Amino acid sequence: MQGATAAASAAASEGARLILGPLRADQVTAVGAVARSSGIPVIGFSNNPTAAGPGVYLLSVLPDMEMKRSLNWIKTQGRRGIAGIFPATDFGQAQEAAFRQQAAIASFAPSAVYTFSSSGEAQQIVNQALPQIQNGMIDTIFIPDRATAPSFGVLLAQAGVKPGAVQIVGSADWEGDPAIANAPQLAGAIYPAVDPAGMAAIGADYQRQFGGAPHALATIAYTATILANVNTLSMANPPYNPALMSSATGFNGRDGAFRFLVNGRAEYALVLKRIAPGGAQVLEGAKL
């Protein structure tokens, strides 16, 4: 964090009007503290909503929007018995908080919420959930943690939960993970993601320029650069002021339509994808 603080101080002393980055939540928080005292807005790339705040905008897909998008679709499917499984980490707590909040907004009352400190607790969680699955009290389980989702899928199958009996819901973090895509026990699972059209649009140019495939976060960097050069933002008085940054009309970036809220968090128009043989397929187009 010391490096992030020093870099932000240097940028402020050199007359920066906007800071792009950094990536980690603690770094964004550190940079934000320096930038705020200098009246400089920040567009950070963390996906932990706790790093957002007035003048500190997060240009990432955040748990709130992921949960909102998935829960609204679940509701249209007539499913009501939702449960969630979250790691006992800072980000896991943010996911759990978003799950509870968005469930309440969508008029859901979660049947159960489980947390775990290690993958060794997965079997115990499945054992606890199984009676409610069998009696129909749980028909949907949110498992946003990419690292442990395949293990939970295996344990649910071993417990006799038949495919389709429970709808598994993941997170945008699932995108591009071969362990997720190739896990047969996760076939039929859904997860929210940014519109893949943006990455497809830059792929060929990126390959020509840099000789490789773009990083998964490349589209965020592209969008941040576009925002920094929007005349209505950069030439405003003051530049990048909160009223313009949090305009309800939003912006159109490489990952599609999005908008910043006054609390610094972003809302994206997300697609829903479904795990299927041969790779994830778009189930439903982009929606806020």
Side-chain angles (χ1 to χ4, degrees):
M1 289 192 294
Q2 291 180 345
T5 299
S9 297
S13 66
E14 293 170 6
R17 298 186 301 166
L18 176 69
I19 294 176
L20 304 183
L23 179 62
R24 284 179 14 206
D26 57 347
Q27 295 172 339
V28 173
T29 299
V31 168
V34 174
R36 190 177 292 114
S37 66
S38 301
I40 303 171
V42 175
I43 298 178
F45 303 150
S46 170
N47 63 353
N48 190 327
T50 60
V56 180
Y57 306 94
L58 296 184
L59 189 60
S60 299
V61 177
L62 302 177
D64 305 76
M65 194 62 218
E66 295 181 80
M67 296 299 175
K68 177 182 178 181
R69 182 71 174 90
S70 300
L71 283 163
N72 285 341
W73 184 84
I74 290 296
K75 193 171 184 178
T76 67
Q77 305 306 298
R79 293 178 178 267
R80 299 299 304 169
I82 64 171
I85 303 174
F86 306 96
T89 61
D90 288 345
F91 189 57
Q93 291 173 359
Q95 291 174 319
E96 179 185 343
F99 173 73
R100 291 182 183 275
Q101 181 182 36
Q102 295 301 325
I105 292 172
S107 300
F108 282 101
S111 300
V113 176
Y114 307 97
T115 59
F116 62 93
S117 299
S118 70
S119 57
E121 299 171 30
Q123 183 66 70
Q124 180 182 355
I125 290 174
V126 171
N127 291 344
Q128 291 175 347
L130 189 59
Q132 293 189 76
I133 294 173
Q134 292 172 332
N135 65 22
M137 292 296 293
I138 293 177
D139 60 21
T140 304
I141 301 180
F142 283 69
I143 314 176
D145 184 55
R146 177 179 64 187
T148 53
S151 296
F152 278 107
V154 169
L155 291 173
L156 287 167
Q158 290 176 346
V161 178
K162 299 186 182 303
V166 172
Q167 177 65 65
I168 295 176
V169 182
S171 67
D173 198 36
W174 280 25
E175 178 72 353
D177 189 314
I180 295 283
N182 297 321
Q185 293 81 9
L186 293 180
I190 68 155
Y191 65 92
V194 296
D195 192 329
M199 181 63 79
I202 69 171
D205 286 343
Y206 193 98
Q207 177 73 37
R208 282 193 296 270
Q209 290 289 329
F210 304 108
H215 188 277
L217 296 179
T219 48
I220 292 179
Y222 270 67
T223 296
T225 304
I226 292 170
L227 277 178
N229 289 281
V230 172
N231 286 339
T232 54
L233 297 177
S234 63
M235 303 301 289
N237 186 22
Y240 312 102
N241 67 71
L244 294 175
M245 292 292 286
S246 60
S247 170
T249 57
F251 307 95
N252 190 28
R254 282 296 187 182
D255 289 320
F258 73 96
R259 61 193 173 209
F260 290 124
L261 305 180
V262 293
N263 61 9
R265 300 184 183 189
E267 288 189 330
Y268 274 89
L270 300 176
V271 303
L272 279 180
K273 289 191 169 184
R274 172 175 282 160
I275 302 295
Q281 301 172 348
V282 174
L283 173 65
E284 191 173 76
K287 291 182 181 179
L288 278 167

